[in-house]
Amino acid sequence: MTKTEFNVNDILENYKRRDEERREFIIHEGYRAIEEIIKEVNQRGSLNEADIYYGTPRPQLSFSDVELGYMLTSMMEYATNHVGNPADEKCELENKLAYFKYKDEIVQIFEVYGQGTDSWFLKPSDDTVYKLNNTAYGVYLNQFDDFINYTKNKDNESKKVSYSTTILNDITGGYTVGRGSK
């Protein structure tokens, strides 16, 4: 029987690296990406990662399915944490929605939970756009510029924390010292 080593530091570093890649993509390519997403959604009606491989016709995007996933996940997390999420009552599966406005366009994110999670960008109905612009339902409308600025601020905070963590690790030799430790 072989012994498998489990290195927590490697897992944490890998997670940190992916999180940095996600933030870097959003900060530096987010505006271009949302313009391409909106263009594709207006043409196709919806867009998700599978469309990049299996879509007919294929979407004309300058970024990968992984980067599209970064946008979907990050924008949904932002909406959940800042305004909450309504649900589509017509859908039989558990779900949540998010709405983002960029310039004069509104894009919707639909996330469904079943035997896994799937999410995609979609063009909201005219009725939904009316409700977002003219009723209290508009509380769910996020500004894309606010999302980008939030991501930039999180990136700056992360760099400060990383620097502090590096200093702490240098001082403690990598050991975490908690309360009551001897």
Side-chain angles (χ1 to χ4, degrees):
M1 182 191 255
T2 60
K3 182 179 176 182
T4 304
E5 285 190 39
F6 185 75
N7 189 338
V8 175
N9 286 336
D10 288 346
I11 293 170
L12 292 174
E13 285 298 318
N14 192 27
Y15 176 80
K16 181 180 168 186
R17 182 182 47 76
R18 281 194 320 263
D19 191 48
E20 287 172 1
E21 287 172 0
R22 179 178 54 89
R23 281 194 314 268
E24 287 295 315
F25 176 76
I26 291 167
I27 291 167
H28 298 293
E29 305 295 332
Y31 286 110
R32 182 180 47 80
I34 196 66
E35 288 176 357
E36 291 179 25
I37 289 166
I38 289 170
K39 180 181 174 200
E40 288 295 325
V41 166
N42 285 337
Q43 290 176 357
R44 307 167 75 82
S46 68
L47 178 68
N48 71 4
E49 293 109 316
D51 290 328
I52 292 175
Y53 289 107
Y54 309 114
T56 306
R58 283 203 169 140
Q60 299 299 306
L61 302 172
S62 63
F63 51 91
S64 71
D65 62 321
V66 171
E67 292 162 331
L68 181 63
Y70 291 162
M71 294 291 286
L72 280 165
T73 302
S74 299
M75 289 170 73
M76 183 57 84
E77 285 175 4
Y78 176 84
T80 301
N81 293 332
H82 288 82
V83 298
N85 304 91
D88 182 348
E89 301 298 329
K90 297 174 191 167
C91 182
E92 294 177 13
L93 297 172
E94 184 179 344
N95 66 81
K96 64 183 179 180
L97 304 168
Y99 303 97
F100 282 84
K101 185 171 189 173
Y102 178 66
K103 295 184 179 177
D104 290 333
E105 297 280 345
I106 295 176
V107 68
Q108 175 179 329
I109 301 173
F110 191 79
E111 191 168 88
V112 178
Y113 312 97
Q115 292 182 340
T117 301
D118 196 10
S119 58
W120 57 92
F121 289 102
L122 136 98
K123 184 175 180 147
S125 69
D126 291 339
D127 182 50
T128 300
V129 171
Y130 176 82
K131 288 186 342 186
L132 287 166
N133 286 324
N134 300 301
T135 71
Y137 196 71
V139 71
Y140 294 114
L141 186 58
N142 296 282
Q143 298 299 318
F144 189 75
D145 289 330
D146 294 342
F147 165 68
I148 294 291
N149 289 331
Y150 172 81
T151 304
K152 287 178 181 177
N153 290 337
K154 290 292 284 182
D155 189 54
N156 289 335
E157 288 173 19
S158 176
K159 288 176 182 169
K160 290 177 188 172
V161 169
S162 295
Y163 181 70
S164 301
T165 303
T166 302
I167 292 171
L168 180 61
N169 280 337
D170 289 346
I171 293 169
T172 63
Y175 294 100
T176 302
V177 179
R179 276 177 104 144
S181 297
K182 293 184 178 182

